[in-house]
Amino acid sequence: MNEDNINSFQRSSLWHDAFRRLRRRKFAMVCFWIVAGYFALAVFVYIAESIDPTMSAINWKEQLGQGMEYQRPSLCSVKTIFGTNFLGQSTLISTLYGVKTALAVAFAASVISIMIGVPLGAAAGYFGGVVDDIVVWIYSTLSNIPWIILVMAFAVVLNDDKIMGGKLSGEPGVYLAIGLTSWVGICRLIRGEIIKRKESEYVLAAKAVGCSNSRIIFRHLLPNVFHIIIINFSLRFVSFIHMEVIISFLGLGDANKPSWGKMISAASSELTRGIWWEMTAATMAIFVLSLALNIFGDALRDCLDPKLRMER
Amino acid sequence: MITNDWHRRLILLILILPTIHTGCRKDPADEKGMVLRQALLSKPQTLDSGNMSDVYSMMVGGDIYEPLYTYHYLKRPYELIPLSADGMPEVSEDHLTYTIKIKKGILFQDDPCFRGSKGREVTVHDYIFAFKRMANIKFINVNWSGWQNKIVGLDDFHEYTRQFKDEYSVDYSKEVDGLLALDDHTIQIKMVKPYPQFISALADICLSPVAQEAVNYYKDEINSHPVGTGPYRLNKWHKGSYLIVVRNNNWRGEKYPTEGEPGDAEEGLLDDAGRELPFVDAVYWTIFKQQQPAWLSFQKGLLDSKSIPKDNFKEAITSETGLSEEMRERNIRLVKFVDPSVFWIGFNMKDKVLGNNLPLRKAISLAIDRERFIDIFFNGHHVAAHGFIAPGRDSYDPEINKCGYSRYDPEQAKLLIKEAELICGDSIAPLKLNMPGSGTFFTQYGQFLQRSFEDVGLTLKVDYMDLPTYMEQTAKGKSQLFASSASAVSPDSLDVLGMFATKNFAPGSNLFFYSNSEFDKLYEEGEVMFPSDQRNELYRKMERMVMEDYPAVFLNHRVSYVLYHDWNRNVKPHAFSFGLTKYRKIDVEKRNKYKDLLRSIR
Amino acid sequence: MPAYIIRRLLYMIPIVFGVLLLTFLLFNVVGADQAVYRLAGNNPTPEILDDIRHELGYDKPLIFSIDSQFVTHVKKAVTFNFGKALDKEPIIDKLKNGVPYSLALTVPMFFGIVVTSVSLAILAAFYRGTWFDRIILLICVAGMSFPYLSYIIFGQYFIAYKYDLFQIYFSPQRSIWSNAALPILIGIVVGIGGNVRFYRTVMLDEINSGYIRTAFAKGLSTRVVLFKHLLKNAMIPIITNTVLTLPYLCLGSLLLESFFGIPGIGGITLDAIESRDFSVISTMTFIFSILFVIFNLISDVCYAFADPRISFD
């Protein structure tokens, strides 16, 4: 057996082990299925929209009832279970559509922050020296600026047509702003892990047989810290969903499509006139998703990272 | 238990930290006094009279400064009356020379900038200084653009200031020919050409007397140290949070008006006729950044009056005229008034798609259901706009609705779009609208427009942007469609007509880049005409001329609403005038009982 | 030790320079010109706009020149002479006015969060694995899952307005504590969840180590073990962690401040971004980054003092 196989054997047993442990936790599995349900819904909305945006189940623009006006929640039809917004559009459908917006933003932002953070962190940790100094300098600089200012600044910049020639408003603007500003944590983490592992035997062995640096990083080191990325991803995901709310409230989000953030911010002027359903629906949607994600993420962390495992 | 060192230190820290903070301060206005509590929905930018342009600054500044003229508080139609001037001006035959006397014995408020901290008497030199200061190029000033090429010699002064290092090194002793002090209480102003709006322009706060001592003493800080002559003076301004103004003891004094328009006496607005002003000892202005707390505070009785935000219409008002049951139970009163203004969606006439496509522009107008729009956003209380000269202005044309394209007719709109497609040679490309904000109101407004466009087969993309970006884009002609509005500052309509004159191309007020040589000719004529039936006719003709070309879709004219508690007396809203606090009165006893009332309702 | 501190302080220079560069690029390259239109008032002529640009120095080259805007920007920061905001108020005064209010909001919030979450974490760690532990964890996770904005909007509407327990909005007539009580409470509720989870993990690490077992074995009472041994050792990560969050306290809270009218730094930030007042933002980030670096250093030094195994080499 060469060292590659040993590695992959260790890895697969780690994952195998983790899933076995995870499956034993009933509550975490329930949460997993809730999250999976949200994802399935988002994918469904995405596909349905690209086939036919006027499909009744996802057409949030459809006007219910007579005039454009608020309708209270009523059980007459499925679409008015949560009432309607000021244009008579179903709150239920907007909330469901919001699943796609929220997950798309959180997913894209997570991917962006990992795509930036992981390679930079790995390179810094592995090569050390000047590379390390530069990467550390960049992320120290970023982490020295308060997050909220940074995100607002990025959102403002991305909204401007002077930089890119074209505007990046709307959804891409939101997830780019979040992604570009939040890769520091994962970068720091990966850098630390790589530094810890780069003197380990399998790396030294790989070096001895003449593996290239990129091969060592991508084939040997990163797979061994993959579980850290996954844990980080699952926990990050929740906070990105919450960020979207705040960004929408600040008026930097995509105003053209329903999003939970938009629905909640609308409530800051609607609640006083007794229109509680829009906000309640969006709040509940976020609450259930984050709760499930949080619990599942914890369980995943416990199972994947034995060192951090919580006492049972 | 607490024996460990760190523990004790932690507790000590908790005890000490709060004392670091400034804590509670002594209340400047005595609790027993009559205090008016008002809301501002945005922060005032400045309290320097010379640089004021936003409504919120003027709402506060209006009580501190006194320009030469103002509008009568009660009389309608609005009537200009002298404020710090002594009588109306003497105007020469050719309408080029104005001689104005000012009241004697007007004092500035007491302020450390004066000798002995005692406010000195105001002379006409303080008015002249205000003019010159506005023209000072180093004093970046929002009001100068309106005074270019108006007063003899002032533009030369503007150029002359260019040589100085900064605002304060400018030597103001250089004379301006058009601003002549005949004596300490008489000023003569010479105009370059007749300026019919001159007297109403003198009612603008930005031309209130300014003491040069104050400007030199405070320098840039004058923004937050207003030195005025009005009934109130600033006591405390916590930027972004609240302002307190208190009585100015140096004020010359004035009496409550004894006559108003019919109906005022019944409303109780003349109960205080002839009494010495002001009534209220202090005003607390609180800045609310969010609608919810402002509205809740008003309901709780923590604010004395409040204009109704869009979202609270339904809660406050039920039928055409009346207040909702809940409001009436709380003894809340409602007053509405015509606020001459117009909301529109502008077209950029330089745009390839829209510029030479009249049927398309007309179709867009027909596609929008104004009644519905007003129903949704203003609970049916605004007036649909057929032209752009609003009711309440002197040249409003009651027959403008015959002009044509302000009705809702999606069928005809679709026909017109077919016609438009022929001109284009293709189907109409998606249109893009710039919206000057991204709050809930704007996004809902945008959604409504999108819907309306979709219903006739057009695609609209709405771009919600912050105000600075919006202003930049429109001024540079980079927007295609844009939502906007204009409110009147005087009953005269020249300012809205100016929005269509070629010489006012953006960054001036003509954001449409609308150009019509015939219109321009009439505009030149109209600019120097004094109010008369003839002028009203001309203005109406010009309005129709613009409506032929349809550079914008005019949506609605505002009818403003103010809610106030019944302890707040003498409330009569005014479309143009600021500085109305001096007329207000509070029934403190009644106000103190409001808590009991709320309890009994619950 | 002094050598280490000096080295760390020197390391501050490139970071602060990076902050200056980044804020400059973010705001000046895009946003500056838009402020000009705001200052020009209604209907300016192009000449007036040019005059204003000239007066503000916006017509100078951006970076590559001796008197470029960037050089001026760095000069201002290095000399701590931050100049004036677009509304002509000295920026330092602006911040000085805001910081006490922000602190009045965030300091009680901070202590509330630390004290409650450490106590809850000790209890949860002590009763680990029981229903009590699980319920605390569940409540924490549930609290974290509820959107921040919903807390504020519902809190203001129900707790302050409907049930009349707190003030709805800031008023200068009342003491700051009565004004800030509800936002502080909301802040604590929002902040507890994550902290309890973090501290619980820290406590568990300690509780499993040998010395606690020894202490129990010696027959010491639970109280003594918990407070004297466990907490004392767990203080190291707790302190180093909290020291790092201290600089954030002076930034206030954007949402809480805007809903409850607390005139702190959060509102100033929002205003500055809305009106494109780049100089205010850059001053704020500059001062913040210095604070952050210093507190980072303090945190490391604390760590070293508390744990003799760590050396500065």
Side-chain angles (χ1 to χ4, degrees):
Chain A
M1 261 201 294
N2 64 22
E3 44 83 34
D4 250 30
N5 286 340
I6 296 171
N7 253 333
S8 68
F9 173 71
Q10 281 173 344
R11 279 202 304 274
S12 70
S13 88
L14 172 79
W15 286 97
H16 188 73
D17 222 31
F19 282 124
R20 198 166 41 80
R21 263 184 304 224
L22 201 56
R23 232 174 280 131
R24 259 186 282 156
R25 299 176 148 196
K26 289 276 151 24
F27 195 42
M29 286 317 283
V30 172
C31 290
F32 171 76
W33 288 113
I34 293 176
V35 175
Y38 269 89
F39 269 94
L41 195 61
V43 171
F44 167 72
V45 172
Y46 183 78
I47 293 172
E49 198 188 19
S50 59
I51 294 171
D52 175 18
T54 56
M55 190 186 290
S56 162
I58 58 150
N59 187 11
W60 51 274
K61 285 183 183 167
E62 183 195 1
Q63 183 185 323
L64 305 171
Q66 290 305 307
M68 299 182 190
E69 59 182 16
Y70 289 103
Q71 286 168 39
R72 303 187 67 81
S74 70
L75 293 172
C76 314
S77 85
V78 181
K79 285 182 179 177
T80 55
I81 278 182
F82 292 122
T84 71
N85 71 356
F86 76 106
L87 285 176
Q89 297 163 343
S90 164
T91 307
L92 177 71
I93 293 177
S94 301
T95 313
L96 295 182
Y97 191 93
V99 174
K100 184 212 128 190
T101 316
L103 290 185
V105 165
F107 190 80
S110 308
V111 168
I112 291 172
S113 71
I114 284 172
M115 295 289 274
I116 301 174
V118 171
L120 279 184
Y126 183 77
F127 294 110
V130 184
V131 181
D132 190 33
D133 286 344
I134 291 175
V135 171
V136 172
W137 177 67
I138 294 176
Y139 76 57
S140 308
T141 302
L142 273 179
S143 68
N144 265 300
I145 299 176
W147 174 80
I148 193 84
I149 291 180
L150 203 56
V151 164
M152 283 168 85
F154 267 93
V156 167
V157 169
L158 292 171
N159 258 310
D160 199 281
D161 51 0
K162 266 182 227 152
I163 293 274
M164 317 264 181
K167 286 168 62 101
L168 260 176
S169 56
E171 234 172 72
V174 178
Y175 57 66
L176 272 175
I178 298 180
L180 289 177
T181 52
S182 56
W183 53 269
V184 173
I186 181 83
C187 181
R188 204 177 257 163
L189 209 61
I190 294 295
R191 175 177 167 268
E193 287 294 323
I194 299 282
I195 288 177
K196 225 188 294 171
R197 282 160 208 261
K198 76 176 173 186
E199 300 300 327
S200 58
E201 279 155 21
Y202 64 86
V203 178
L204 294 178
K207 266 189 191 160
V209 296
C211 288
S212 68
N213 285 334
S214 63
R215 190 182 161 83
I216 294 178
I217 292 179
F218 288 104
R219 291 297 301 272
H220 300 281
L221 282 170
L222 281 185
N224 277 300
V225 294
F226 193 63
H227 64 285
I228 295 176
I229 300 176
I230 289 290
I231 293 165
N232 192 281
F233 184 89
S234 75
L235 297 178
R236 214 33 93 72
F237 206 83
V238 189
S239 64
F240 288 164
I241 291 172
H242 287 254
M243 276 182 203
E244 193 269 332
V245 177
I246 293 177
I247 287 179
S248 280
F249 173 75
L250 294 174
L252 300 168
D254 184 356
N256 286 314
K257 283 179 184 161
S259 85
W260 295 336
K262 221 176 84 184
M263 291 166 81
I264 295 180
S265 357
S268 64
S269 55
E270 284 177 340
L271 190 61
T272 47
R273 55 180 289 200
I275 292 155
W276 50 267
W277 47 88
E278 246 187 305
M279 178 177 184
T280 311
T283 305
M284 286 320 290
I286 293 188
F287 179 73
V288 172
L289 175 60
S290 338
L291 192 64
L293 261 173
N294 267 324
I295 293 174
F296 176 70
D298 277 355
L300 191 69
R301 181 181 58 184
D302 291 357
C303 299
L304 273 177
D305 197 344
K307 208 177 76 226
L308 283 174
R309 197 187 319 159
M310 294 192 184
E311 192 76 11
R312 285 285 143 187
Chain B
M1 186 72 244
I2 305 160
T3 49
N4 282 343
D5 262 10
W6 67 266
H7 219 138
R8 201 182 296 144
R9 264 180 236 141
L10 190 71
I11 297 234
L12 203 67
L13 202 63
I14 296 175
L15 291 177
I16 291 171
L17 266 164
T19 57
I20 294 172
H21 171 63
T22 47
C24 14
R25 68 196 89 249
K26 217 172 127 25
D27 201 348
D30 189 19
E31 279 294 334
K32 276 170 267 163
M34 198 192 281
V35 175
L36 184 68
R37 296 156 316 171
Q38 305 264 53
L40 292 172
L41 293 180
S42 178
K43 66 162 191 174
Q45 298 292 334
T46 176
L47 283 182
D48 174 3
S49 64
N51 211 0
M52 256 180 216
S53 66
D54 63 301
V55 184
Y56 302 101
S57 303
M58 293 196 201
M59 282 164 85
V60 181
D63 293 329
I64 300 173
Y65 294 103
E66 285 189 324
L68 286 163
Y69 296 95
T70 190
Y71 291 90
H72 194 280
Y73 182 44
L74 300 173
K75 281 188 192 162
R76 303 287 184 276
Y78 295 103
E79 183 187 319
L80 274 169
I81 53 166
L83 187 62
S84 61
D86 194 7
M88 299 305 282
E90 257 173 52
V91 189
S92 67
E93 282 289 297
D94 57 0
H95 290 292
L96 288 177
T97 312
Y98 289 71
T99 313
I100 301 168
K101 280 193 181 327
I102 61 163
K103 287 193 175 106
K104 289 188 177 127
I106 300 178
L107 295 178
F108 279 111
Q109 68 185 58
D110 291 342
D111 194 276
C113 72
F114 297 114
R115 192 176 304 143
S117 293
K118 284 274 166 217
R120 66 163 169 80
E121 196 187 345
V122 174
T123 67
V124 291
H125 297 284
D126 300 312
Y127 292 90
I128 294 178
F129 178 69
F131 268 106
K132 286 181 177 169
R133 182 161 177 254
M134 188 174 61
N136 185 347
I137 201 168
K138 300 285 165 176
F139 172 44
I140 298 171
N141 185 299
V142 286
N143 294 310
W144 168 246
S145 53
W147 285 92
Q148 280 181 299
N149 201 19
K150 291 267 157 59
I151 291 174
V152 176
L154 201 59
D155 292 78
D156 295 336
F157 188 85
H158 179 70
E159 283 308 312
Y160 151 84
T161 54
R162 204 181 280 277
Q163 56 183 296
F164 294 96
K165 194 174 108 275
D166 61 32
E167 184 192 335
Y168 308 101
S169 51
V170 170
D171 179 11
Y172 283 101
S173 62
K174 181 183 155 71
E175 294 283 331
V176 170
D177 296 339
L179 297 167
L180 207 62
L182 296 184
D183 60 50
D184 271 359
H185 296 98
T186 318
I187 180 175
Q188 196 177 59
I189 303 176
K190 284 205 191 79
M191 314 299 296
V192 175
K193 59 183 181 191
Y195 181 24
Q197 291 77 20
F198 184 53
I199 304 179
S200 61
L202 288 178
D204 193 340
I205 294 171
C206 74
L207 291 174
S208 311
V210 178
Q212 195 167 358
E213 297 97 310
V215 175
N216 289 337
Y217 184 84
Y218 289 114
K219 298 252 159 48
D220 282 349
E221 315 238 321
I222 192 142
N223 272 340
S224 38
H225 287 103
V227 179
T229 59
Y232 294 93
R233 61 189 174 79
L234 183 69
N235 177 290
K236 176 149 183 60
W237 182 9
H238 193 108
K239 295 268 169 69
S241 175
Y242 63 90
L243 298 102
I244 301 170
V245 298
V246 295
R247 251 175 216 261
N248 170 17
N249 296 325
N250 281 4
W251 191 47
R252 60 193 160 77
E254 206 180 287
K255 301 233 165 26
Y256 193 88
T258 48
E259 46 184 331
E261 71 174 326
D264 281 352
E266 290 77 14
E267 293 281 321
L269 286 167
L270 286 173
D271 291 357
D272 288 313
R275 298 235 177 105
E276 201 64 44
L277 298 175
F279 301 114
V280 172
D281 296 307
V283 190
Y284 281 72
W285 294 95
T286 310
I287 298 158
F288 286 89
K289 294 187 186 102
Q290 302 295 333
Q291 287 285 3
Q292 171 167 307
W295 184 246
L296 297 180
S297 299
F298 173 72
Q299 305 242 69
K300 264 258 151 82
L302 302 171
L303 292 171
D304 297 321
S305 64
K306 171 97 184 64
S307 57
I308 310 179
K310 175 227 140 200
D311 273 307
N312 294 111
F313 259 110
K314 280 251 165 71
E315 197 190 355
I317 306 172
T318 45
S319 61
E320 264 302 308
T321 49
L323 279 166
S324 69
E325 194 54 40
E326 200 189 348
M327 295 291 126
R328 235 174 292 149
E329 254 178 5
R330 294 169 184 221
N331 289 334
I332 288 169
R333 306 278 175 83
L334 168 79
V335 57
K336 61 177 173 178
F337 67 107
V338 177
D339 180 3
S341 58
V342 57
F343 290 69
W344 73 80
I345 301 161
F347 301 120
N348 182 351
M349 299 294 277
K350 280 207 236 160
D351 184 75
K352 283 197 289 293
V353 183
L354 290 164
N356 47 22
N357 205 332
L358 184 61
L360 178 60
R361 300 199 296 270
K362 285 181 172 167
I364 292 174
S365 178
L366 289 175
I368 295 169
D369 186 350
R370 289 167 176 74
E371 302 298 329
R372 176 105 284 165
F373 174 70
I374 292 167
D375 259 358
I376 294 177
F377 291 96
F378 312 102
N379 213 37
H381 290 280
H382 284 204
V383 184
H386 296 277
F388 52 86
I389 298 182
R393 287 191 184 245
D394 52 12
S395 50
Y396 170 65
D397 184 355
E399 306 213 320
I400 188 74
N401 55 359
K402 290 184 184 145
C403 243
Y405 288 91
S406 287
R407 57 179 199 281
Y408 176 55
D409 190 346
E411 292 316 311
Q412 208 197 331
K414 281 176 196 158
L415 292 178
L416 280 168
I417 288 172
K418 290 232 171 68
E419 217 177 293
E421 280 171 347
L422 287 180
I423 298 177
C424 252
D426 199 358
S427 59
I428 308 289
L431 299 166
K432 204 179 118 253
L433 177 110
N434 283 1
M435 193 66 93
S438 49
T440 306
F441 171 79
F442 291 108
T443 47
Q444 295 191 342
Y445 184 13
Q447 281 175 41
F448 173 84
L449 291 178
Q450 270 175 326
R451 258 206 94 76
S452 309
F453 275 58
E454 253 164 48
D455 286 348
V456 296
L458 291 172
T459 318
L460 180 72
K461 271 189 65 196
V462 185
D463 205 342
Y464 305 89
M465 39 182 63
D466 54 12
L467 196 59
T469 315
Y470 171 88
M471 283 167 78
E472 190 207 10
Q473 295 238 334
T474 3
K476 288 188 177 160
K478 283 200 274 188
S479 42
Q480 192 177 24
L481 286 90
F482 53 97
S484 186
S485 68
S487 283
V489 289
S490 76
D492 197 289
S493 310
L494 192 73
D495 53 342
V496 277
L497 287 168
M499 297 191 312
F500 303 97
T502 309
K503 64 174 178 185
N504 289 345
F505 262 14
S509 63
N510 186 350
L511 304 170
F512 315 97
F513 297 96
Y514 172 77
S515 179
N516 179 342
S517 54
E518 212 176 319
F519 178 89
D520 289 340
K521 240 194 314 194
L522 294 184
Y523 183 72
E524 297 275 324
E525 258 175 62
E527 252 186 326
V528 293
M529 270 170 93
F530 281 81
S532 62
D533 287 344
Q534 199 193 348
R535 187 181 80 165
N536 289 346
E537 255 337 290
L538 178 76
Y539 280 7
R540 283 170 195 162
K541 191 172 158 201
M542 288 161 75
E543 185 184 17
R544 280 198 209 113
M545 204 178 251
V546 173
M547 296 310 286
E548 292 282 293
D549 290 331
Y550 238 87
V553 175
F554 298 98
L555 295 174
N556 59 309
H557 301 300
R558 178 161 53 206
V559 177
S560 286
Y561 286 77
V562 175
L563 286 175
Y564 61 98
H565 288 285
D566 64 342
W567 64 70
N568 194 356
R569 313 280 303 154
N570 299 341
V571 178
K572 181 159 183 177
H574 201 291
F576 309 120
S577 199
F578 296 100
L580 307 176
T581 308
K582 60 185 177 192
Y583 302 112
R584 295 284 159 84
K585 201 170 162 182
I586 297 287
D587 186 341
V588 179
E589 226 166 277
K590 211 175 213 175
R591 179 159 80 185
N592 292 340
K593 284 190 192 133
Y594 186 66
K595 270 213 163 121
D596 304 330
L597 179 74
L598 278 186
R599 221 168 285 135
S600 72
I601 293 171
R602 195 173 294 157
Chain C
M1 180 80 166
Y4 171 78
I5 293 179
I6 288 169
R7 204 168 64 229
R8 284 289 299 266
L9 285 175
L10 282 178
Y11 186 58
M12 200 167 101
I13 294 169
I15 290 180
V16 170
F17 179 80
V19 170
L20 283 175
L21 183 68
L22 189 64
T23 45
F24 179 82
L25 289 178
L26 280 179
F27 283 95
N28 241 30
V29 177
V30 222
D33 204 39
Q34 286 145 1
V36 173
Y37 285 86
R38 263 221 147 150
L39 290 177
N42 297 327
N43 322 329
T45 58
E47 294 80 49
I48 292 182
L49 292 173
D50 284 340
D51 285 341
I52 295 176
R53 274 185 206 117
H54 179 72
E55 292 303 321
L56 295 175
Y58 288 170
D59 53 351
K60 287 182 189 157
L62 275 179
I63 299 182
F64 304 106
S65 155
I66 299 170
D67 66 339
S68 70
Q69 294 181 43
F70 182 62
V71 173
T72 331
H73 169 59
V74 172
K75 235 188 251 163
K76 272 186 184 170
V78 172
T79 54
F80 284 89
N81 175 16
F82 300 109
K84 286 172 180 169
L86 286 181
D87 62 5
K88 292 191 179 172
E89 195 184 359
I91 294 170
I92 282 294
D93 287 1
K94 232 186 212 330
L95 300 184
K96 265 192 214 149
N97 287 337
V99 166
Y101 286 93
S102 282
L103 287 181
L105 178 69
T106 51
V107 169
M109 215 154 90
F110 169 75
F111 281 107
I113 290 173
V114 171
V115 170
T116 5
S117 48
V118 168
S119 340
L120 282 179
I122 293 178
L123 289 176
F126 188 71
Y127 294 108
R128 61 196 177 278
T130 64
W131 60 269
F132 179 79
D133 180 28
R134 284 191 195 151
I135 283 184
I136 285 192
L137 275 186
L138 192 65
I139 290 175
C140 286
V141 174
M144 283 165 65
S145 304
F146 203 73
Y148 198 2
L149 204 56
S150 307
Y151 271 115
I152 297 176
I153 295 175
F154 280 135
Q156 187 172 52
Y157 187 71
F158 288 106
I159 303 178
Y161 177 68
K162 282 268 149 126
Y163 302 113
D164 205 10
L165 296 174
F166 292 98
Q167 304 300 342
I168 296 170
Y169 202 73
F170 181 85
S171 156
Q173 285 150 296
R174 286 188 296 265
S175 83
I176 179 71
W177 305 118
S178 109
N179 279 320
L182 183 57
I184 288 173
L185 195 71
I186 292 178
I188 292 177
V189 170
V190 172
I192 278 181
N195 279 292
V196 171
R197 282 169 18 130
F198 170 74
Y199 294 133
R200 180 179 167 279
T201 326
V202 170
M203 302 287 174
L204 283 180
D205 274 355
E206 298 293 331
I207 239 170
N208 289 333
S209 54
Y211 69 92
I212 296 283
R213 243 171 286 145
T214 319
F216 274 119
K218 276 201 310 193
L220 294 176
S221 76
T222 314
R223 259 183 12 185
V224 173
V225 177
L226 275 192
F227 287 96
K228 195 147 186 181
H229 294 90
L230 173 63
L231 197 51
K232 197 172 179 183
N233 282 288
M235 265 337 257
I236 300 170
I238 291 174
I239 285 181
T240 47
N241 183 53
T242 48
V243 164
L244 278 182
T245 59
L246 284 177
Y248 286 98
L249 297 186
C250 57
L251 287 176
S253 158
L254 216 76
L255 295 184
L256 285 174
E257 284 179 16
S258 95
F259 269 91
F260 292 95
I262 313 283
I265 295 289
I268 295 173
T269 316
L270 215 52
D271 265 357
I273 288 187
E274 271 167 13
S275 60
R276 298 297 168 87
D277 200 340
F278 157 70
S279 50
V280 175
I281 297 288
S282 86
T283 307
M284 244 161 58
T285 46
F286 175 71
I287 294 176
F288 177 82
S289 65
I290 291 180
L291 280 181
F292 196 71
V293 174
I294 290 175
F295 276 89
N296 232 318
L297 179 58
I298 294 177
S299 157
D300 287 358
V301 172
C302 282
Y303 201 62
F305 270 120
D307 192 343
R309 281 168 300 181
I310 293 169
S311 70
F312 287 115
D313 293 317

